[in-house]
Amino acid sequence: MPAVLLSLSLAQGEDGIHQRLDWYPDGVETLPIETKEDWEIRRAAIMKGFERVIGKMPSRKDLPDLDVQVTEKVETKKYTRSTITIVSEEGDRLPCYLYVPKGGEPPAKMPGIVALHPTHKIGKGVVDGQSERPNRGYARELAERGNVVIAPDYVSFGELSDYDFAADKWESGTAKAIWNHVRCVDLLLSRDDVDGEKIAAIGHSLGGHNAIFLGVVDERVKAVVSSCGWTPFHDYKEGNITGWTSDRYMPALRDKYELNPDKVPFDFYELVAAIAPRAFFSNSPLRDSNFDWRGVEKAAPKIRKIYDLYEVPRNLRIAYPDSEHDFPEPVRMESFEFIDAQFAEPAP
């Protein structure tokens, strides 16, 4: 399968049974999943269903040069933080923070991490620790741990606060964001100091589900951490998915699928499972009013069966801290250690 899944032709299969992960489409039938090959057919169908909602992702052939431009540098004891822009697509530049740890000579290749911010007007500043919330500075923290980190603004926040969705070519803000975030992976892989086999994505809330979306679409991402980022559509606000339909998300949920979770051709059960066998960590607090942990708990055993199919059960970790919609320090540190473990060098 290609490293970046952007266009698939398989039919989704039977709509309305996304909560089940034990079948795959075979023409007009559904058959039980018994092998990895069976699951790969289902995974392709999941990707097709996802694209039916967000819009078809364009080809990545003939990409423009990233043309990295640096506008500011901030030096700390442990890293350099550069404010940069990169070319996302022709005519559009993406503002980001780029953190590069300071180390010995010559620098060893380091993991690269895409850090996606939650909903906040200052955008990427949140994951730098600039907001009023104390548990959101994970880009800075991960840089201090020795990772090269890129933190982009999400369209409509930060330096992209005046983004005009009506004027772009994308069917959804989600698709545009995924494209931007894949370009962040391109930037990490273009660097000599980044190990291309050690790429991760992390985010809280808005960033939490976008970390999932990036991990699903881009198989170069080997580990995903989603904090307060998902629950099945039926468990989100008791099935009221209106919150997903703004321009920055997926208007088709309203315009094509009538806000009915039963009609939507994908669900988060499937997206998280589609990350397998790559590593996935979920922070799902018990008092999160947005993403009900009970929906996550319901989906978890089904997703775990896919990880078991690949014989990597330890690559799936779900934490249920007793907190509200937050990324508390203990579970945040646990997620960092989860990433570290995935990228640790094997013992000789």
Side-chain angles (χ1 to χ4, degrees), residues 3-258:
V4 180
L5 297 177
L6 294 173
S7 178
L8 294 162
S9 59
L10 290 176
Q12 166 63 22
E14 296 183 16
D15 291 343
I17 57 172
H18 308 291
Q19 296 84 1
R20 287 175 44 206
L21 296 177
D22 58 356
W23 62 271
Y24 72 96
D26 180 37
V28 297
E29 296 184 285
T30 59
L31 298 177
I33 290 173
E34 297 177 348
T35 67
K36 297 174 187 176
E37 291 74 22
D38 295 342
W39 172 251
E40 291 298 335
I41 296 172
R42 174 66 183 279
R43 185 183 191 281
I46 291 167
M47 297 301 298
K48 185 63 177 179
F50 188 42
E51 282 193 332
R52 284 165 60 188
V53 175
I54 68 171
K56 187 175 181 180
M57 300 295 287
S59 170
R60 281 177 43 83
K61 291 182 179 179
D62 303 318
L63 290 173
D65 188 85
L66 289 165
D67 186 28
V68 180
Q69 296 183 6
V70 180
T71 58
E72 181 186 33
K73 282 192 176 183
V74 174
E75 301 288 345
T76 74
K77 291 183 179 180
K78 292 188 175 181
Y79 61 81
T80 300
R81 190 202 75 199
S82 299
T83 303
I84 68 171
T85 63
I86 61 174
V87 173
S88 172
E89 56 182 311
E90 291 290 350
D92 189 47
R93 299 192 68 89
L94 176 63
C96 311
Y97 283 151
L98 178 66
Y99 302 78
V100 179
K102 295 178 177 178
E105 295 292 339
K109 285 186 176 290
M110 296 169 282
I113 299 182
V114 181
L116 304 175
H117 66 77
T119 300
H120 199 292
K121 63 182 180 181
I122 67 172
K124 61 186 179 299
V126 179
V127 294
D128 189 57
Q130 299 174 22
S131 79
E132 70 283 3
R133 295 185 180 274
N135 292 321
R136 307 290 191 270
Y138 40 85
R140 181 189 63 199
E141 293 169 333
L142 286 162
E144 291 173 345
R145 294 173 70 94
N147 303 284
V148 177
V149 181
I150 186 168
D153 279 325
Y154 190 91
V155 282
S156 74
F157 296 108
E159 294 182 66
L160 297 178
S161 60
D162 60 352
Y163 187 84
D164 187 352
F165 292 97
D168 72 17
K169 68 180 183 182
W170 302 89
E171 292 186 36
S172 68
T174 293
K176 169 57 174 168
I178 291 171
W179 182 268
N180 285 355
H181 302 156
V182 170
R183 291 293 276 163
C184 290
V185 177
D186 291 343
L187 183 281
L188 291 173
L189 293 178
S190 74
R191 296 183 56 89
D192 293 337
D193 56 0
V194 171
D195 186 334
E197 295 302 312
K198 298 179 179 180
I199 303 296
I202 186 171
H204 173 74
S205 194
L206 170 73
H209 36 265
N210 278 281
I212 293 172
F213 300 156
L214 175 59
V216 167
V217 169
D218 193 337
E219 291 189 69
R220 299 174 299 177
V221 176
K222 305 303 183 184
V224 173
V225 173
S226 176
S227 171
C228 299
W230 72 287
T231 197
F233 281 129
H234 286 84
D235 299 280
Y236 177 83
K237 305 288 186 181
E238 299 182 341
N240 180 357
I241 60 175
T242 305
W244 290 100
T245 63
S246 70
D247 288 343
R248 71 169 63 110
Y249 282 128
M250 297 172 267
L253 293 176
R254 175 192 62 235
D255 301 336
K256 292 174 62 176
Y257 300 106
E258 303 172 352

